[in-house]
Amino acid sequence: MPHTAKLTQGSTFKHVVTMSATGALGLMCMFLVDLVDMLFLSMLGEKEAVAAVGFASSIMFFTVSLSIAVAISATALVSKAIGEGHIELAKRRAVNVLAFGIFFSTGVVWFLWPNISHILLYIGATGRTLDLATGYLQILVLGMPAVMIGMIGSGIMRALGDARRAMYTTLVGGLVNAVLDPIFIFAFGLGVQGAAIASLIARFSMVAVSYYGVVHIHKMLGEFDLMDFFKDAKSISVIVVPAMLTNMSSPLANAIVMEHTSTFGDDAVAAVAVIGRVIPVVFGGLFALSGAVGPILGQNYGAGRFDRMHSTINSAVTYAFVYCVVLCVGLYQAQGWLVSVFHATEGSAALIRFFATFVSFSFFFQSLLFIAIAVFNNLGKPLNSTLLNFGRATVGTWPLIVIFSMFMGAEGILFGQAVGSVIFGCWGFYMARRYIDTLEAKEAQEVTLSHSPAYNEVI
């Protein structure tokens, strides 16, 4: 299959919509299964089971975020090489990022597995909730290397502009999970552990799908060479380390929220757990935005097309605004159904309704932060993404949820998060705009110098 820089041509809005929609379908399918998990477990009539998955999800979000960070590196490095026309370099980077991800994820599992119960206890899980969450995580965390391989493979295909096959990786994983969930939870009577086993098997199905697309369709993996790996390790790490810190900041914020929510009781924890499942399903199109904008920016940056980079940013904002308005209105209308289908208690229902009515609209501003993160990760300033996201996860979360919860109770936790998203979304987007302008001015200056007689005489 020819490897052309297809994202340097055609409508940027069409590319943003296509890349976001396919990414959203894959993500939403994966998170929809988590939502179904929560629904099935709520049918068991044991609120500790729902709370346990909520606590466990805070930890799993860390591991998935690490996998996404390495995938970001694959997308950034491969898309830039494709934009420059260096196909062999793109293949070399693809295989070396994959090797990096396998080594790293194996190390994380080795460290995390024996400490699961201590981490859960630290963030507020106790009693039977702690036991259920520990059993769930001890099974599910074993699939982290498989998630890493699947995410990297999807990132490579996105770098090539093949959004459809990149979507299949998470889509198939989600479908496998959806089929196996009721079998293991109800037919085998395994409850929470059954949900974990179904998810583990689904993660390994992601490996098969991504391998087929990257190796058999695109033939994008070069031969692994240890010396080449060491050469690329620095370039990979320059993106991966800040991207990991960036992605870890979101689950850090979730852990902070979950820990503070636990002081309001299991009803509040169960409500936040349900909301945490609803958010990725409803706003998957916004969460996919960063991954969609990244390859478009990367290819056009490699090709020197700053006009298309500006157009891509504008298209992304337009897409995010329309998407958010439509989905927030839909969520507002569906709040009663959510309360009913999850058998929410009175305390949980109040929080779910508050989120659907007042908090959901803040996700447009969070999408501005996603766009800014894509700019910095793919254009050589990943540390800026780290600072922005950690700022939102710390000073944009903890002080605000503490202050607002003093006056508003558990609802203040959700409201404080929303205020933080507005502040850091606007600030991050402004910084990203200025950074692209700086890159454009720098390149224009270099072009001017290269055409000056004095420069040519020196050369």
Side-chain angles (χ1 to χ4, degrees), residues 274 334-345 348-350 352-353:
V274 170
Q335 59 181 282
W337 177 80
L338 287 174
V339 169
S340 173
V341 78
F342 284 103
H343 309 286
T345 62
S348 296
I352 293 172
R353 291 184 184 280

Side-chain angles (χ1 to χ4, degrees), residues 80 83-84 297-310 378-379 434-452 455:
K80 188 171 186 292
E84 293 170 341
L297 290 173
Q299 284 196 14
N300 284 286
Y301 183 45
R305 293 294 306 275
F306 284 93
D307 58 323
R308 290 183 60 81
M309 292 164 67
H310 287 293
N378 288 273
L379 303 183
R434 289 198 60 181
Y435 179 59
I436 294 178
D437 290 339
T438 301
L439 289 177
E440 186 174 15
K442 182 179 178 181
E443 178 159 305
Q445 185 179 27
E446 290 175 353
V447 171
T448 301
L449 285 173
S450 67
H451 286 84
S452 68
Y455 179 86

Side-chain angles (χ1 to χ4, degrees), residues 38 46-57 125 129 133 258 266 269-270 273:
M38 194 73 73
E46 188 178 14
K47 69 179 181 180
E48 289 85 0
V50 178
V53 176
F55 278 113
S57 296
T129 299
M258 189 61 73
D266 277 349
V269 171

Side-chain angles (χ1 to χ4, degrees), residues 142-224:
L142 298 175
M144 184 182 174
V147 174
M148 182 72 76
I149 294 171
M151 291 293 187
I152 293 172
S154 181
I156 292 170
M157 287 185 280
R158 287 190 175 281
L160 299 170
D162 189 355
R164 179 170 55 88
R165 287 191 178 87
M167 172 188 69
Y168 290 159
T169 301
T170 48
L171 188 63
V172 169
L175 291 175
V176 170
N177 204 338
V179 171
L180 295 180
D181 257 342
I183 296 174
F184 283 96
I185 293 174
F186 296 114
F188 294 161
L190 296 177
V192 172
Q193 289 189 336
I197 294 171
S199 296
L200 181 64
I201 295 172
R203 278 155 168 73
F204 282 98
S205 72
M206 293 171 61
V207 176
V209 176
S210 63
Y211 179 86
Y212 177 79
V214 172
V215 176
H216 290 283
I217 300 298
H218 291 289
K219 305 187 187 309
M220 270 302 297
L221 287 188
E223 292 185 8
F224 178 75

Side-chain angles (χ1 to χ4, degrees), residues 137-378:
L137 272 179
Q138 284 178 336
I139 295 171
L140 200 54
V141 76
L142 298 175
M144 184 182 174
V147 174
M148 182 72 76
I149 294 171
M151 291 293 187
I152 293 172
S154 181
I156 292 170
M157 287 185 280
R158 287 190 175 281
L160 299 170
D162 189 355
R164 179 170 55 88
R165 287 191 178 87
M167 172 188 69
Y168 290 159
T169 301
T170 48
L171 188 63
V172 169
L175 291 175
V176 170
N177 204 338
V179 171
L180 295 180
D181 257 342
I183 296 174
F184 283 96
I185 293 174
F186 296 114
F188 294 161
L190 296 177
V192 172
Q193 289 189 336
I197 294 171
S199 296
L200 181 64
I201 295 172
R203 278 155 168 73
F204 282 98
S205 72
M206 293 171 61
V207 176
V209 176
S210 63
Y211 179 86
Y212 177 79
V214 172
V215 176
H216 290 283
I217 300 298
H218 291 289
K219 305 187 187 309
M220 270 302 297
L221 287 188
E223 292 185 8
F224 178 75
D225 182 276
L226 190 59
M227 296 307 296
D228 284 340
F229 175 77
F230 288 132
K231 289 178 184 177
D232 286 338
K234 181 179 179 181
S235 298
I236 296 170
S237 299
V238 165
I239 299 175
V240 165
V241 173
M244 282 182 178
L245 294 173
T246 300
N247 284 348
M248 285 173 63
S249 61
S250 292
L252 173 62
N254 289 342
I256 292 172
V257 168
M258 189 61 73
E259 189 275 336
H260 197 65
T261 303
S262 66
T263 63
F264 290 91
D266 277 349
D267 284 349
V269 171
V272 171
V274 170
I275 292 168
R277 289 303 189 282
V278 170
I279 286 172
V281 174
V282 175
F283 296 105
L286 299 182
F287 285 110
L289 194 58
S290 183
V293 172
I296 304 173
L297 290 173
Q299 284 196 14
N300 284 286
Y301 183 45
R305 293 294 306 275
F306 284 93
D307 58 323
R308 290 183 60 81
M309 292 164 67
H310 287 293
S311 178
T312 298
I313 298 302
N314 293 334
S315 297
V317 173
T318 302
Y319 164 85
F321 181 77
V322 173
Y323 182 98
C324 200
V325 168
V326 172
L327 270 295
C328 285
V329 171
L331 183 61
Y332 174 79
Q333 297 293 332
Q335 59 181 282
W337 177 80
L338 287 174
V339 169
S340 173
V341 78
F342 284 103
H343 309 286
T345 62
E346 184 177 348
S348 296
L351 283 178
I352 293 172
R353 291 184 184 280
F354 182 79
F355 171 81
T357 304
F358 300 107
V359 176
S360 61
F361 293 94
S362 68
F363 274 84
F364 169 70
F365 297 94
Q366 195 161 331
S367 71
L368 298 182
L369 184 60
F370 295 153
I371 295 170
I373 287 170
V375 169
F376 293 124
N377 280 341
N378 288 273

